[in-house]
Amino acid sequence: QVQLVESGGGLVQPGGSLRLSCAASGSIFSINALGWYRQAPGKQRELVATIARAGRRNYVDSVKGRFTISRDIAKSTVYLQMNSLKTEDTAVYYCYAGGVVAGTPFDSWGQGTQVTVSS
């Protein structure tokens, strides 16, 4: 239904910045929410930030004031700007899209991109 391709991960020092991008294709008009999740080694996947169709944003407390989720509707792309990165932000970051197609809800995930914060 919806395919997601992420880019922008990498290695950065503490205090640095990275911007993740996620391009959506397929049934993009069926998307109700886009977001980013992350999974650190040995931990469960957790929500980082979401943006709803109407534009409302939601963040996990640990990234508030440091991360910003945004979207470019014309490019069908969602971004995650990450500033003041900490070592605990190290994880694989996954792009997420949720919506409904023909009355059936769906969840789509990207392949994941590694973010490593280390000196």
Side-chain angles (χ1 to χ4, degrees):
Q1 298 130 335
V2 173
Q3 295 76 44
L4 304 170
V5 179
E6 301 126 334
S7 60
L11 173 65
V12 64
Q13 292 185 340
S17 298
L18 280 175
R19 189 177 80 156
L20 305 182
S21 300
C22 174
S25 61
S27 302
I28 58 174
F29 295 105
S30 65
I31 296 173
N32 291 328
L34 290 162
W36 292 92
Y37 285 68
R38 67 186 179 187
Q39 188 166 19
K43 295 187 177 181
Q44 290 188 332
R45 189 175 297 189
E46 66 168 353
L47 180 146
V48 177
T50 59
I51 183 166
R53 178 189 289 271
R56 181 176 179 178
R57 294 168 172 82
N58 183 49
Y59 299 94
V60 67
D61 287 346
S62 61
V63 308
K64 286 180 180 178
R66 300 189 298 122
F67 290 12
T68 302
I69 188 170
S70 62
R71 65 186 176 186
D72 185 328
I73 294 175
K75 295 182 179 179
S76 301
T77 300
V78 62
Y79 304 97
L80 185 68
Q81 178 66 43
M82 304 184 293
N83 298 329
S84 301
L85 282 160
K86 305 176 181 179
T87 55
E88 51 262 45
D89 295 318
T90 295
V92 178
Y93 284 70
Y94 296 90
C95 183
Y96 163 85
V100 179
V101 172
T104 302
F106 71 87
D107 296 314
S108 294
W109 296 91
Q111 79 283 2
T113 185
Q114 178 70 47
V115 172
T116 302
V117 185
S118 175
S119 56

